């Protein structure tokens, strides 16, 4: 079995948060001394971190399922649950994290680079944290939130300065062994190299790394041979070296046609152009040509024949023999020159920008959508807060359900349901998928005291404890006396004007006077 793995699928699950505790403190002479339930601990997260000592993804090939520790439950006497430790997974330098659909999530380059694959769940609050002046002794606690679950694809892209590319059996592994202390497998049959080989080359004061990429054939960019499996390792190399076999006996092959085929496959292979810190396209990178196996007389003649044509294309050409080491020293210093040139021309890495995305003013944090499926109408509520609150609610406890209803009404879910056209008894779904909660909606009924603007369950008319001062009493007495005097004056004015005269008395008075 190969000990080098450069592509795996990782199934990561964050730790669950611990449940909160519902407890009442009991002491001597104080049987009910108030709530003392502690909060649950947070769950651990699954984190990928670049480790220079790791060179393969083999450990994830054998164990693809990773689960971070969960937090423990809260306890009485205000004791908090313990927090689960993060599960840190070491990965090689140059690991790219992708979603199953191929979207790049992170490009881990440089020792210590980290990426959180699956976050741990938040611990639930105990009844001590839920206590308030209106709810002095809650008989419930919040549940711990489950950790995130995510499947990601890990791809390893070898980080080297020089990539040796060419047909199988062109002598790439022999060249790496001759230039460095690396000892790759060398044999006289195609596809001997099944994994990339790295070697460190010292040329004067310059040091660089060389990668032996497994052989490419026509159609490699479409998946033929080992093309797609190892073309990704060329993406991070700044210098490309075409190793051309001048001693091949296959019909229809020569150094010029081999060069054209490999260049075509490089142009067809797009690679990941959207990775942060994107590099120069493969077709625009520094390159040179190495004519190998000139220790064979026929190969030397062919190399001398095609060298002018290659130089006419603007390529630097070196004739070498990996077996006799002829021409290796000039090639080594020429590669060091190109590597130093690419390092000078490489743009300086930009500092990571901290992007702040504040929530919009009109963003309520949730959405209410009216949906209809197969003639069935329901209203779906989506949002991080409502969905998290639902996950943390113990629906077997009526008080916990009432607390959830209060929280949803406080952020405006009920008002949004009214605007969406929901009526009493309408089906409401909070969340999506198998974790969604479905219930028949019953709007909160308002009483007279609530219409006065006071909190739910209170009446401001009965809670007015203010006492008037002496000046307030004196002012109130004067106002009352002034009002009484004005009323008497008004009555006297009306009486003088005859408004209060008896109509019966006016009609009978002349008859009495005639008698």
């Amino acid at each position: 079995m190969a000990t080098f793995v450069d592509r795996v699928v990782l199934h990561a699950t964050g730790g669950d948060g611990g449940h909160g505790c519902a407890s009442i403190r009991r002491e001597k002479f104080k049987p009910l001394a108030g709530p003392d339930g502690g909060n649950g601990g947070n769950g651990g997260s699954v984190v990928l971190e670049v480790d220079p000592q790791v060179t393969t993804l083999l450990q994830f090939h054998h164990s693809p399922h990773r689960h971070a520790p969960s937090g423990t439950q809260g306890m009485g006497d205000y004791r908090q649950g313990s927090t689960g430790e993060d599960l840190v997974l070491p990965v090689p330098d140059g690991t790219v994290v992708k979603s199953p659909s191929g979207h790049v999530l992170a490009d881990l380059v440089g020792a210590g680079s980290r990426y959180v694959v699956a976050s741990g769940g938040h611990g639930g609050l105990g009844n001590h944290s839920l206590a308030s002046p209106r709810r002095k002794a809650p008989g419930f606690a919040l549940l711990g939130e489950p950790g995130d679950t995510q499947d990601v694809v890990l791809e390893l892209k070898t980080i080297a300065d020089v990539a040796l590319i060419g047909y199988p059996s062109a002598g790439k592994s022999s060249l790496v062994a001759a230039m460095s202390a690396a000892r790759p497998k060398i044999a006289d049959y195609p596809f001997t190299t099944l994994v990339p080989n790295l070697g460190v080359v010292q040329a004067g004061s310059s040091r660089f790394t060389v990668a032996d990429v497994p052989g490419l054939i026509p159609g490699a960019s479409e998946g033929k041979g080992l093309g797609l499996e190892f073309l990704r390792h060329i993406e991070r190399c700044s210098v490309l070296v075409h190793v051309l076999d001048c001693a091949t006996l296959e019909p229809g092959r020569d150094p010029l046609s081999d060069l054209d085929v490999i260049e075509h496959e490089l142009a067809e292979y797009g690679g990941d152009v959207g990775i942060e810190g994107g590099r120069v396209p493969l077709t625009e990178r520094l390159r040179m040509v190495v004519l190998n196996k000139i220790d064979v007389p026929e190969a030397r003649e062919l190399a001398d024949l095609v060298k002018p044509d290659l130089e006419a294309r603007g390529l630097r050409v070196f004739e070498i023999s990996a077996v006799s080491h002829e021409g290796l020293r000039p090639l080594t210093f020429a590669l060091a020159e190109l590597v130093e040139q690419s390092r000078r021309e490489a743009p300086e890495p930009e500092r990571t920008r901290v992007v702040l995305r504040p929530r919009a003013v009109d963003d309520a944090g949730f959405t209410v959508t009216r949906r209809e499926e197969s003639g069935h109408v329901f209203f779906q509520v989506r949002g991080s807060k409502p969905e998290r609150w639902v996950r943390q609610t113990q629906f077997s406890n009526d008080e916990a359900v009432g607390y959830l209803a209060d929280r949803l009404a406080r952020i405006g879910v009920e008002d949004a349901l009214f605007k969406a056209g929901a009526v009493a008894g309408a089906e409401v779904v909070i969340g999506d998928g198998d974790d969604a909660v479905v219930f028949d909606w019953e709007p909160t009924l308002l009483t007279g005291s609530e219409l006065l603007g006071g909190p739910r369950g209170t009446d401001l008319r009965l809670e007015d404890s203010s006492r008037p001062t002496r000046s307030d009493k004196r002012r109130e007495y004067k106002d009352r006396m002034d009002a009484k005097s004005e009323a008497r004056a008004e009555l006297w004015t009306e009486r003088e004007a005859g408004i209060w005269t008896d109509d019966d008395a006016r009609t009978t008075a002349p008859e009495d006077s005639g008698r």
Side-chain angles (χ1 to χ4, degrees):
M1 174 182 248
T3 58
F4 181 87
V5 177
D6 64 346
R7 189 182 187 278
V8 294
V9 179
L10 175 64
H11 310 277
T13 304
D16 298 336
H19 300 329
C21 177
S23 173
I24 300 298
R25 187 173 183 83
R26 292 172 174 82
E27 300 178 0
K28 188 176 182 180
F29 306 117
K30 293 182 180 180
L32 298 175
D36 66 344
N39 303 334
N42 296 331
S45 302
V46 180
V47 183
L48 300 177
E49 183 176 6
V50 174
D51 187 352
Q53 303 300 323
V54 179
T55 58
T56 178
L57 301 174
L58 184 63
Q59 57 172 332
F60 305 110
H61 175 74
H62 294 310
S63 302
H65 298 271
R66 299 302 178 96
H67 195 295
S70 299
T72 60
Q73 184 175 353
M75 296 166 284
D77 198 16
Y78 312 105
R79 290 176 293 177
Q80 311 289 330
S82 60
T83 300
E85 296 183 358
D86 292 340
L87 178 61
V88 180
L89 303 177
V91 295
D93 193 3
T95 301
V96 177
V97 186
K98 295 183 178 181
S99 64
S101 60
H103 178 66
V104 178
L105 303 176
D107 185 15
L108 301 179
V109 178
S113 300
R114 295 166 64 95
Y115 175 73
V116 179
V117 179
S119 301
H122 295 281
L125 298 179
N127 63 343
H128 171 67
S129 299
L130 296 174
S132 65
R134 293 185 297 156
R135 188 181 291 104
K136 297 183 181 300
F140 68 97
L142 298 184
L143 303 178
E145 186 179 6
D148 295 338
T149 300
Q150 185 175 198
D151 297 340
V152 295
V153 179
L154 305 182
E155 290 186 355
L156 175 59
K157 298 183 180 180
T158 305
I159 297 181
D161 298 308
V162 179
L164 303 181
I165 56 179
Y167 267 76
S169 300
K172 299 183 296 296
S173 299
S174 301
L175 182 56
V176 171
M179 297 175 62
S180 66
R183 293 296 175 262
K185 180 181 179 180
I186 301 174
D188 58 351
Y189 54 85
F191 297 108
T192 307
T193 303
L194 298 179
V195 299
N197 299 305
L198 286 178
V200 180
V201 181
Q202 185 76 36
S205 60
S206 178
R207 174 178 293 183
F208 56 93
T209 56
V210 178
D212 166 24
V213 180
L216 303 177
I217 61 175
S221 60
E222 301 175 357
K224 293 184 180 180
L226 301 177
L228 287 181
E229 294 296 326
F230 297 106
L231 267 173
R232 68 174 67 97
H233 295 280
I234 305 177
E235 293 184 16
R236 301 187 184 277
C237 301
S238 56
V239 179
L240 303 182
V241 177
H242 287 277
V243 181
L244 304 180
D245 187 1
C246 293
T248 180
L249 299 178
E250 295 184 20
R253 280 188 53 191
D254 60 80
L256 294 178
S257 62
D258 290 355
L259 176 64
D260 294 337
V261 169
I262 300 301
E263 285 289 344
H264 175 72
E265 297 302 326
L266 293 179
E268 291 294 324
Y269 177 70
D272 293 323
V273 296
I275 296 179
E276 183 179 353
R279 291 158 178 80
V280 179
L282 294 179
T283 56
E284 300 178 8
R285 298 189 188 179
L286 300 176
R287 58 202 345 103
M288 67 171 53
V289 175
V290 171
L291 300 176
N292 195 16
K293 302 182 182 180
I294 61 173
D295 55 297
V296 180
E298 293 81 0
R300 184 183 296 272
E301 295 178 1
L302 181 60
D304 295 337
L305 181 63
V306 300
K307 183 177 180 180
D309 296 337
L310 295 174
E311 291 178 344
R313 299 186 182 185
L315 299 172
R316 298 183 62 180
V317 183
F318 291 85
E319 300 180 11
I320 67 158
S321 172
V323 176
S324 63
H325 292 192
E326 181 181 351
L328 289 186
R329 185 174 179 83
L331 173 63
T332 301
F333 282 93
L335 289 177
E337 180 182 350
L338 288 183
V339 170
E340 294 295 335
Q341 177 183 347
S342 64
R343 290 175 180 175
R344 291 192 302 268
E345 295 176 355
E348 296 183 1
E350 298 181 358
R351 297 182 57 183
T352 303
R353 296 182 179 181
V354 179
V355 180
L356 301 179
R357 294 184 176 89
R359 195 176 67 179
V361 177
D362 56 348
D363 184 10
F366 64 91
T367 58
V368 176
T369 308
R370 184 182 184 274
R371 298 187 179 275
E372 182 175 356
E373 296 180 359
S374 302
H376 176 65
V377 178
F378 63 94
F379 296 86
Q380 188 174 30
V381 180
R382 296 301 307 273
S384 58
K385 281 187 177 181
E387 294 180 21
R388 184 176 73 250
W389 292 345
V390 165
R391 290 193 297 265
Q392 293 183 324
T393 300
Q394 184 180 2
F395 287 93
S396 59
N397 189 306
D398 293 339
E399 190 176 356
V401 175
Y403 178 68
L404 172 63
D406 290 343
R407 301 177 83 179
L408 294 177
R410 190 179 306 117
I411 65 173
V413 173
E414 288 196 350
D415 295 338
L417 286 172
F418 275 121
K419 293 180 181 179
V423 296
E427 181 177 320
V428 177
V429 179
I430 299 181
D432 190 19
D434 297 336
D435 297 333
V437 175
V438 184
F439 61 92
D440 294 334
W441 181 51
E442 292 295 336
T444 303
L445 299 179
L446 300 178
T447 62
S449 61
E450 289 170 337
L451 294 176
L452 295 175
R456 186 176 183 180
T458 61
D459 192 338
L460 298 179
R461 297 170 296 181
L462 303 177
E463 296 183 0
D464 187 9
S465 58
S466 61
R467 299 182 60 182
T469 61
R470 181 174 298 179
S471 59
D472 295 337
K473 292 180 179 180
R474 185 181 297 109
R475 188 183 307 107
E476 182 181 358
Y477 175 77
K478 290 182 178 180
D479 294 341
R480 189 167 56 251
M481 292 296 103
D482 293 342
K484 187 180 293 185
S485 300
E486 292 178 1
R488 288 176 178 174
E490 184 178 358
L491 290 175
W492 179 259
T493 303
E494 292 177 353
R495 186 173 183 179
E496 289 291 333
I499 298 178
W500 282 28
T501 305
D502 190 356
D503 294 339
D504 296 337
R506 280 202 310 270
T507 56
T508 56
E511 297 178 357
D512 293 340
S513 60
R515 293 177 185 171

